[in-house]
């Protein structure tokens, strides 16, 4: 299922087993452990997961919504950037997003604008 909140797509902390699907979590790329913020802060470890392992913070908005190469967080930052810096100010908008260049921002906006159904199409 593509619904990230479907039972089969839920994420649980590998230490305390808390459902962390909708929460910021820590992913250990070395042992593939998903860790809730509390267990990470407590320095929990096992034979397979050590606190010295590298890690990635997974923001609860760090998943695609409209297209596969833009996260929800980036979508929101794009809209916020347009509101803050003005439509068409792609250099400042892309700097605001931090992960996309100005061409990517403009192309993404144009694609969504011209491929989204209008209210009268509903």
């Amino acid at each position: 299922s593509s619904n990230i909140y479907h039972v089969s797509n839920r994420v649980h902390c590998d230490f305390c087993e808390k459902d962390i699907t909708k929460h910021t979590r820590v992913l250990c790329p070395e042992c593939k452990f998903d860790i809730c913020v509390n267990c990470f802060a407590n320095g929990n470890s096992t034979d397979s997961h050590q606190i010295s392992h590298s890690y990635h913070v997974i923001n609860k908005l760090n998943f695609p919504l409209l297209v596969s190469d833009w996260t929800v967080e980036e979508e929101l930052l794009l809209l916020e950037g347009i509101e803050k810096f003005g439509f068409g100010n792609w250099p400042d908008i892309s700097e605001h997003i931090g992960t996309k260049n100005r061409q990517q921002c403009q192309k993404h906006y144009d694609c969504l604008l011209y491929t989204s159904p209008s209210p009268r199409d509903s």
Side-chain angles (χ1 to χ4, degrees), residues 42-53:
N42 290 336
N44 292 4
S45 63
T46 66
D47 288 341
S48 49
H49 174 74
Q50 301 298 313
I51 58 173
S52 61
H53 285 177

Side-chain angles (χ1 to χ4, degrees), residues 71-90:
T71 65
V72 173
E73 184 173 27
E74 291 168 330
E75 301 281 2
L76 292 171
L77 287 169
L78 174 67
L79 296 174
E80 184 180 83
I82 290 169
E83 181 179 37
K84 185 174 183 176
F85 301 109
F87 177 77
N89 189 351
W90 303 117

